[in-house]
Every structure is written in structure tokens, then in C-alpha cells.
Amino acid sequence: MKALEATVRKTQLVARKRAHTIFGTYGPTTQVDEADFNNNNKEKELIEDHQQENYDEGPMNGELYHSEKFLPNGDYYTGYWVDNVPQGQGKYWWTDGCMYVGDWHKGKMMGKGIFSWPSGATYEGNFKNGYMDGEGTYTAPNGDTFRGSWLMDLKHGHGVKEYANGDCYDGEWCRGLQEKNGKYTWTNGNYYIGEWQNGTICGNGKLYWTNGKMYEGNWEDGLPKGKGTFHWADGSYYVGNWSRDPNELNGTFYPSESLLERGNFEWDPQQVFNVDLMGCTISPNDKVSVLPSQKKLAVRISKKMDNNNVGNRTRRMSIDGSVDSEFSRMQLSDGVGITTTTTTTSISCSDIDAMVTLQEADGYKAGSPIRIPRIVKRQGITISKGHKNYELMLNLQLGIRHTVQKLGPPPTLDLEPSAFDPKEKYWTRFPPEGSKHTPRHQSCEFRWKDYCPKVFRALRTLFKVDAAEYTLSICGPLRELSSPGKSGSFFYLTNDDRYMIKTMKKAEVKVLLRMLNAYYNHFRAFENTLVTRYYGLHCLKLNGPAQKKVRFVIIGNLFSTNYTIHKRFDLKGSTFGRITDKLESEIDTTTTLKDLDLNFIFRLQKSWFEEFRRQVDRDCELLEQERVMDYSLLVGVHFREGNATGYQTPSGCKTPIENGTIEVEPVHRFSRSDVDLLLLNAAGLTSTNLGVNMPARVERTFRKNDLDFQLVGEPTGELYDVTLFFGIIDILQDYDITKKLEHAYKSIQCDPNSISAVDPMAYSRRFRDYIFKVFVEDN
């Protein structure tokens, strides 16, 4: 203990001496020499008196005043204060060597400022609530420099990073890593332009070498992967499938005229990996040892500030405004080599940027946790050689590539009426040896039909789909879902999860062609429509004795997201047969639950809810006009409050009040996933549209035992923070004679209003009434 006391005293002496050199003379104070520090009790009391003399709380009436303070732990501050916290211009120096010079607001770094680390690193720019937030420049100890946008201590948005070795990256960032589109230039002059993911080259892009070579195509983990073309300066090029694995590397080499004259046709594509890409490595990103938001202020918490009456004990307050409790600190890893500290305390907090998890006080009773189904990371079985549908997949991919390449981009979105004619369809023959218009292939001979190709080409343009990316996605590996749907259709999923391929009945094809004109005009009029997006309608006819025809449509996958969809619901508003027949232990994250399985009410923010009501009305009017029914709202729910146990706890608390009833009080909970949501959505930096990546809350409900048929349960007050994905699917069911007979038959067995097969007008009315009960405005 004596050795520890001596070390602390010496640290305080160094702090005072260093304060003279950094901030200048601070005025007359009692001089203390190091030789005067010994271990007897009398001198210890003198030191404590000296510390208290230099730390004066000052007035606590809201008056702004200038002060210079030696804080009890050795920190030093000079600048303006109000109610014992920094306010306005000020300089704060911590004993570990970190220093901030700039604007303060209520004890938080807010506005323009400079933060420096003892390692020599500096940040100069904007701060918000104690975080590096806004435009700013960070210079790392090794000389790396970043100039651009920040969000909550992380690079987020557009920015330029110049590395000490001469490399440079200019592009988009997300949570501290390169993301989306950007240009990386190496010091030798080579450069890459294209897509990034999690700090590595991933997606579609081009790499240019100074010697004239160029690779254009798909990338994965910084290497060519998938379809791509390698060009030489003399005009030669190689087209094929790229992979680090030689067994997966295949393609065709097209030599230039000069090479043809010399008869040189041999080239090994492995040279790209072994030679050309050797110097094209991405410099690692710097790691900040201590974030500005983690730094604490050694200020005294007064009775005015402390809601829990902790007295006049000195407790360190974080820059974000939270109090550091000795027994309630926990560490959260942000996944990029930075550790973030959050605090757990019972002091109330209304600042969302504080990211403080409030501890439930005595007398509070949290709602029971809700079980999350077993997570299945990848749905379906990959179709490979030997699969019964392998040849069908190859034929389908050949046809899609032929269709997209033949059409090209549309000249205009204003189509002639003839483009919507159901007779507007074209057959193409695909012999194995190839033809004038089709390539050679290793599958059996087949015929390919395109329905209304000009319309679907215009729809893909309307949906902002790049033709090359569309082709690469469809022509990559496909996954077959384990079982067909209720209609008997089979589903295939692309490897990137962006598109689904669904086999169709002839009657469904007729319905889609009949309503295609209205469908197209609807999407042109309403950008946020929730109706299923169709990208192409085709038919494949296999030659042979069976003359088998397979009709299929390409649909956008509603759940194409990096979020885990914990629960998915198919909602129609009917009760007959609308419950899952699986045991709870058999339900996983790919199980689609139904109306009577729903135990939530979805709460949307006011602006979103108003837009939701308007759009559902518009979409139902279209479907009612086209005489279709049996459609449903597919909803995917991602719970943002992560829990490793497989259970989710509600984000609200219940507390008993005097008359014995239960009152729900909001409690701010900010987990790692909440931080991600703030990083992604707070500044509108990612695509959040109606039904896509929507932040919301769900309220848990329960059904009374004596009302098993109750469609919407009673609300319990337990709220959960979620991200929602939803859209209207299965819109191709005509109310034909089959559905009329189904309605008549089932009406004998049960209430006619409880079955799905009803008149389109009645179906639309019932659907909307139900949806507007389970989706409500969040007050």
C-alpha cells in the first residue's frame, strides 16, 4: 500500500509539472516538492488538503465561469465550466497522456476540437456527444491519414485514407472498414475500382496494372472469384470462371492477332494469382487503442446531478454523460479490434447517443424472455453434378444469359401496347453443338421461350438491376429448397440470396400476362409498392419422348439481407388451417409461421405507418381490380437485442404503482446490435425503404384460453426492438371455378369468413382490416 501511495503521488507531481509546459502557468498555488512526500500520516493529510484546494466545485446555479482545475486523480482541466462540468471552450488532459482541446457541451466533447493520444496519433474535426462524429482528419502513429466522415468514433461514409507506404483508398466506409464502392491505388501505380465488403475487395470490380493488363469481373476476399475477364495490352483476353482452386479455374483464351501470327496460344491463368496479384495486397487498417468516448472525466457528482444521492464522493463520469460504477462495467467488442466500454447504472438517461444500458432498479419486473427459433444459416441444398435437376439448372442459366445479352438496355420506359400482348413470346432452340445465335453446351437439346421480354427488361431497369450482375447471380450455383410449396411449385435460390426462381402452373402464367400492363404501370406510379417484384417469365421445353415443359418466374428475394431473420410470418387474415403443424422444437428460423402463430403487434413510427396504410390500400386496389385473391403479407423479423442463450428480453420494464396495477415504463437498452443500427440508420446512410430494413418495435400478445379462434391477441406491454422486412406475395391466384368450389365446400365445414378462398373484393377488405390491426402506429 505504501508503494502504491508513493507511485500515485509521483504521478500527480508529474501531472502538475507537465501542465505548466502544455497549458502555461496556472497561477499561484501551494508549491509541493517531491522531496516533501514521505509516508507519514501528517504529510499524507497535507497532500489531500492540497488536492482538495486545487479542486473546487464552484457555483452550482447554472452560472458559466472559467476555471483551472487539478482533479483528485491527477487529471488537469482549464476552460469554462457550468454546474461542475466543462461547457464551452476548454482543454482536458488525462494522466495517461490523452488530451482534448476544443468545444464542450454539458460535460461532453461537442463541436470542433482536437484529440491527441500519447502515441502521437491525433484527430482534428467534429465531435458529437463525446464521439468523433462528422467530418474530421485522423493521423495514426505510423503516419496513416484519414480525411472524411465519422460516425460514433468509426469511419462511416465517404473518406480518403492515405497510407504511410504510399497506398491510397478513396471511397465509402462502413463501421470503420471499406464498404460498397471505392478506389484503391497502390504506390506502384496499380489501382482497383469497384465493390468492397468488410474491408476487402469483394463483388464486381476492375483492377488495372501499369503494364496495361486489366481484370474485370467478380471478386471474393481480395481475389478473382466467379465470372471474369483478363485483358492484355496487345488485345488478348481470357474469359472464364476464376478461382484460387485450379480444379474450379476454367475458361477460354482469345489471343490477339500478333500472337496468332506467332502461333502462341498457351497461357496458364494461375499466373494471375502467382505473379500479377502478388503485389496487390490491401494495407491493414489502424486500430485505435482508446476511443474518445471511453475517456472519463474525474469530476465530483453532486447531489444535484446524482439521482441516487451518492453524496459528495468523487466518481468518474464518462464523456458520454454516464457514471462509471465500480461493479457494473462490461466490455463489448465492436468486431474491428476496438473495445467499447458501456456502463450499467440506475441513473435515468434520456440521451440516445449515450449508449448506456440502464440496470433494472428494485421493484421492477422485466417481462419474460421470448424464445428465438434455432438459427439456420443457409437454406436449401446446392444443385451440383449428379443432382436430378442439374441439367435443368444448366439449361435455365443458358437461357437467362441468352435473353439478357440479346436484349440490351431499353431505350425508354414508355412501352408500346404491343409489348404487353400475351402472344408476344419467342422460342429459341439450343442444340448441344451450338448455332448462329446460341453457344455450345454440354447439356441436352432444349427450347427456350421468353414471355413479353421487352416488358420484363423495362421492369429490371425500373428496379435498378444491372444486367451483368443479374446474369452473374442467376448463372451462379443455385440452391433447391427442401420441399415444394403448398401449390406444388419448386423454389430455387441464387447463391447470393438476391433472387428466387419459382416453377409455375400454366394458369398462373396466364394471370401474370393478363395483369402485366396494370402491374407495370403500378410500379411506375408507386415506387414503394409492397407487391412482389418479377424480373422475368420463361418456359423451358426439354426434347425427347416426354416433351416436358417447365414454366418459371424469377422473383426478388424479400429476405436478401445481412440480418438474421429470426421469425417469418405469412399473414392472410383468415383462421381456417392458418397454424403451423410443427412442434416448437422443430421450428427454426426458416419456418414460415401463420396467422394463428402470430403473437406480436408491429409498431411503426408515425411517418412509416401513414405511408404503410396508403401503400397497402393502393396495392390491394390493384389486386382487387385484377380479380386475384389468396395473397398474403410475408413478414421477416430481426430482433436487435442479441442474446446468446436463444432468448430475447423485452426493451421495456414493468413497475407496480400504488393502486396495485402495472405501469410500463421505457428503459433505454443499447446493445451491440443497437449500436450497429445507429451506425447504419441514424444518418440515413443505408437503404431503408417501406418494407426493407425498417426499424420498428413489436409488442407481445397472448390469446385467451376461451377464445382459441381469436385472430389478434391481447397486448401485454412487452416491447422488443426489431428490424422488419415485408411484402405482398402470391398475387397470381385467380378467383376461378376451382376457388369458388373450394369456398362452397369449406363453407359447409366452418365459418365462410374464416377461409382463404373468398371473393377478391371480400378478400381485399378482410386482408386490410386484419393487417391494420397487427400493424399499428407506435405512440
Side-chain angles (χ1 to χ4, degrees):
M1 289 298 297
K2 290 181 179 180
L4 179 62
E5 289 174 4
T7 302
V8 171
R9 292 167 190 164
K10 290 181 180 180
T11 302
Q12 292 169 341
L13 254 184
V14 173
R16 296 188 186 97
K17 292 180 179 179
R18 187 167 181 179
H20 282 284
T21 61
I22 297 177
F23 302 114
T25 306
Y26 55 84
T29 57
T30 306
Q31 298 295 323
V32 181
D33 188 83
E34 183 177 2
D36 296 333
F37 289 166
N38 53 55
N39 294 325
N40 61 59
N41 293 332
K42 181 178 179 180
E43 291 180 352
K44 182 177 178 181
E45 292 175 1
L46 287 174
I47 294 169
E48 291 175 349
D49 291 342
H50 177 77
Q51 292 174 342
Q52 187 62 37
E53 178 184 343
N54 283 278
Y55 180 74
D56 179 20
E57 287 189 2
M60 296 295 293
N61 56 2
E63 177 184 349
L64 183 68
Y65 64 100
H66 189 277
S67 180
E68 294 176 308
K69 296 181 181 290
F70 286 101
L71 304 174
N73 72 325
D75 292 356
Y76 177 83
Y77 177 84
T78 177
Y80 290 93
W81 285 59
V82 65
D83 288 341
N84 200 39
V85 292
Q87 176 80 12
Q89 285 284 333
K91 305 175 184 179
Y92 195 104
W93 179 78
W94 287 267
T95 53
D96 63 359
C98 292
M99 182 175 67
Y100 172 76
V101 181
D103 298 330
W104 298 80
H105 180 70
K106 295 182 179 179
K108 304 176 186 178
M109 294 181 281
M110 181 85 78
K112 299 282 187 180
I114 301 174
F115 192 97
S116 60
W117 287 261
S119 62
T122 60
Y123 170 84
E124 181 175 359
N126 291 310
F127 288 80
K128 182 179 179 182
N129 292 322
Y131 297 91
M132 299 182 287
D133 198 302
E135 294 296 316
T137 300
Y138 173 79
T139 303
N142 64 353
D144 291 355
T145 302
F146 173 83
R147 298 179 182 86
S149 297
W150 295 75
L151 189 65
M152 300 177 71
D153 283 343
L154 295 175
K155 306 176 187 74
H156 198 87
H158 185 267
V160 178
K161 181 163 185 178
E162 297 175 353
Y163 295 87
N165 62 3
D167 293 356
C168 178
Y169 172 82
D170 185 350
E172 298 299 313
W173 297 75
C174 180
R175 290 178 283 178
L177 297 172
Q178 297 96 327
E179 190 80 12
K180 295 184 180 178
N181 294 305
K183 177 181 179 180
Y184 192 98
T185 306
W186 284 271
T187 185
N188 59 10
N190 299 338
Y191 64 94
Y192 166 83
I193 300 177
E195 296 179 340
W196 295 71
Q197 186 175 345
N198 294 327
T200 61
I201 296 174
C202 190
N204 195 44
K206 300 177 182 179
L207 177 59
Y208 296 86
W209 283 265
T210 53
N211 57 13
K213 295 180 181 179
M214 188 265 285
Y215 171 81
E216 177 182 9
N218 201 53
W219 297 76
E220 187 176 303
D221 293 331
L223 296 173
K225 177 77 172 178
K227 302 295 181 181
T229 305
F230 192 85
H231 297 266
W232 283 263
D234 63 359
S236 304
Y237 63 96
Y238 174 90
V239 182
N241 186 71
W242 294 79
S243 176
R244 186 64 174 170
D245 184 356
N247 297 324
E248 298 179 4
L249 185 61
N250 59 79
T252 306
F253 176 60
Y254 297 90
S256 63
E257 293 183 2
S258 60
L259 289 178
L260 286 172
E261 291 175 358
R262 292 184 299 212
N264 187 359
F265 305 111
E266 294 185 1
W267 178 74
D268 182 8
Q270 280 290 337
Q271 293 183 22
V272 175
F273 297 95
N274 299 332
V275 179
D276 296 295
L277 291 172
M278 288 303 293
C280 299
T281 56
I282 306 301
S283 298
N285 288 306
D286 50 78
K287 297 180 180 180
V288 182
S289 57
V290 179
L291 300 175
S293 58
Q294 292 177 259
K295 300 304 296 178
K296 310 295 180 181
L297 301 187
V299 299
R300 191 183 303 277
I301 305 298
S302 68
K303 292 181 180 180
K304 179 178 178 180
M305 296 175 62
D306 191 353
N307 295 335
N308 290 307
N309 298 325
V310 295
N312 291 328
R313 290 181 295 123
T314 299
R315 299 174 65 183
R316 293 172 64 81
M317 188 181 75
S318 169
I319 295 296
D320 63 10
S322 59
V323 178
D324 186 18
S325 172
E326 300 96 318
F327 305 104
S328 58
R329 299 180 64 196
M330 64 179 181
Q331 301 292 323
L332 290 176
S333 173
D334 63 358
V336 291
I338 303 172
T339 303
T340 309
T341 303
T342 58
T343 6
T344 304
T345 176
S346 56
I347 299 177
S348 63
C349 176
S350 60
D351 188 356
I352 192 170
D353 290 322
M355 291 191 300
V356 182
T357 303
L358 295 183
Q359 188 180 32
E360 293 177 355
D362 293 338
Y364 280 63
K365 181 182 178 182
S368 59
I370 190 167
R371 178 184 176 274
I372 294 301
R374 176 173 53 88
I375 294 177
V376 177
K377 293 187 177 180
R378 203 156 180 84
Q379 192 176 3
I381 302 171
T382 302
I383 301 175
S384 56
K385 201 164 186 178
H387 192 281
K388 63 178 181 178
N389 289 326
Y390 180 70
E391 281 197 350
L392 179 66
M393 180 191 73
L394 293 181
N395 297 344
L396 184 152
Q397 293 175 337
L398 283 168
I400 292 291
R401 184 185 292 111
H402 169 75
T403 298
V404 175
Q405 292 177 351
K406 178 182 69 175
L407 291 172
T412 176
L413 294 177
D414 297 322
L415 301 176
E416 297 291 335
S418 60
F420 298 94
D421 190 340
K423 296 179 181 179
E424 188 77 2
K425 47 193 176 184
Y426 303 93
W427 281 102
T428 304
R429 178 173 166 268
F430 281 78
E433 66 275 10
S435 66
K436 184 178 179 181
H437 303 289
T438 61
R440 295 178 60 184
H441 60 88
Q442 298 177 351
S443 183
C444 62
E445 181 175 335
F446 67 94
R447 295 180 68 198
W448 176 263
K449 182 195 285 187
D450 285 316
Y451 295 93
C452 298
K454 294 179 182 178
V455 179
F456 286 101
R457 176 184 62 178
L459 281 170
R460 291 193 294 270
T461 302
L462 200 62
F463 300 153
K464 298 180 176 59
V465 173
D466 180 75
E469 292 180 356
Y470 178 74
T471 306
L472 284 171
S473 182
I474 300 292
C475 296
L478 298 182
R479 305 198 308 276
E480 184 180 55
L481 300 193
S482 57
S483 61
K486 185 179 178 182
S487 63
S489 299
F490 283 85
F491 291 87
Y492 303 93
L493 204 57
T494 59
N495 194 48
D496 57 7
D497 291 335
R498 293 179 63 182
Y499 305 102
M500 296 184 71
I501 301 171
K502 176 188 176 185
T503 60
M504 301 180 71
K505 296 179 180 178
K506 187 175 182 180
E508 293 176 314
V509 174
K510 289 182 176 179
V511 173
L512 179 54
L513 292 175
R514 185 193 71 201
M515 64 182 294
L516 192 56
N517 197 338
Y519 176 87
Y520 179 76
N521 292 330
H522 188 75
F523 269 93
R524 290 198 68 183
F526 307 112
E527 185 180 0
N528 287 331
T529 178
L530 300 174
V531 174
T532 303
R533 294 188 172 192
Y534 294 121
Y535 296 86
L537 181 63
H538 312 281
C539 178
L540 193 150
K541 183 179 180 181
L542 301 176
N543 287 351
Q547 294 285 306
K548 181 181 178 182
K549 278 187 179 180
V550 181
R551 302 173 184 88
F552 57 90
V553 66
I554 300 175
I555 310 171
N557 182 14
L558 190 63
F559 299 149
S560 176
T561 173
N562 290 329
Y563 286 109
T564 299
I565 302 299
H566 295 119
K567 283 181 177 286
R568 53 188 75 195
F569 297 93
D570 183 89
L571 307 176
K572 292 186 177 182
S574 57
T575 57
F576 185 77
R578 300 296 296 163
I579 190 168
T580 304
D581 55 1
K582 287 185 177 182
L583 298 174
E584 185 177 2
S585 58
E586 298 175 350
I587 294 175
D588 56 38
T589 52
T590 65
T591 303
T592 301
L593 306 173
K594 300 178 182 179
D595 300 70
L596 293 179
D597 301 307
L598 181 66
N599 56 345
F600 296 113
I601 292 176
F602 302 99
R603 295 189 170 276
L604 306 181
Q605 298 172 11
K606 182 177 180 180
S607 59
W608 283 121
F609 178 71
E610 291 174 351
E611 177 62 24
F612 174 76
R613 283 191 67 100
R614 286 194 296 267
Q615 195 56 57
V616 169
D617 286 335
R618 293 163 181 163
D619 294 341
C620 287
E621 287 169 6
L622 167 71
L623 302 176
E624 184 180 330
Q625 170 191 325
E626 295 300 319
R627 299 290 297 168
V628 296
M629 40 74 67
D630 213 21
Y631 45 86
S632 57
L633 186 75
L634 183 63
V635 183
V637 184
H638 167 78
F639 288 89
R640 298 204 303 265
E641 183 71 26
N643 193 325
T645 63
Y647 289 84
Q648 302 295 327
T649 54
S651 57
C653 294
K654 292 182 178 180
T655 179
I657 55 178
E658 292 182 0
N659 59 7
T661 61
I662 300 295
E663 179 183 5
V664 178
E665 296 187 2
V667 172
H668 297 284
R669 294 177 177 272
F670 298 97
S671 66
R672 181 70 251 173
S673 55
D674 290 312
V675 177
D676 292 342
L677 184 72
L678 287 171
L679 291 172
L680 291 173
N681 292 330
L685 295 174
T686 57
S687 176
T688 300
N689 299 319
L690 186 66
V692 180
N693 196 32
M694 282 187 57
R697 297 197 297 171
V698 294
E699 182 175 3
R700 198 171 182 180
T701 62
F702 74 97
R703 291 181 175 84
K704 297 179 180 178
N705 294 330
D706 57 342
L707 292 174
D708 292 337
F709 61 88
Q710 186 180 15
L711 196 55
V712 181
E714 302 292 332
T716 63
E718 295 179 17
L719 299 171
Y720 301 83
D721 296 320
V722 298
T723 301
L724 295 182
F725 301 82
F726 52 82
I728 298 175
I729 63 170
D730 295 337
I731 64 170
L732 300 180
Q733 181 57 61
D734 196 10
Y735 191 58
D736 54 14
I737 186 63
T738 305
K739 286 296 179 182
K740 291 177 182 178
L741 290 173
E742 180 185 342
H743 174 79
Y745 174 73
K746 289 183 177 179
S747 296
I748 301 172
Q749 300 175 301
C750 58
D751 181 4
N753 294 322
S754 68
I755 60 180
S756 298
V758 296
D759 177 82
M761 187 176 294
Y763 190 94
S764 172
R765 182 172 58 252
R766 184 183 66 187
F767 177 78
R768 280 185 273 187
D769 289 343
Y770 171 66
I771 292 301
F772 295 147
K773 288 179 182 177
V774 296
F775 280 80
V776 299
E777 182 182 337
D778 192 354
N779 296 321

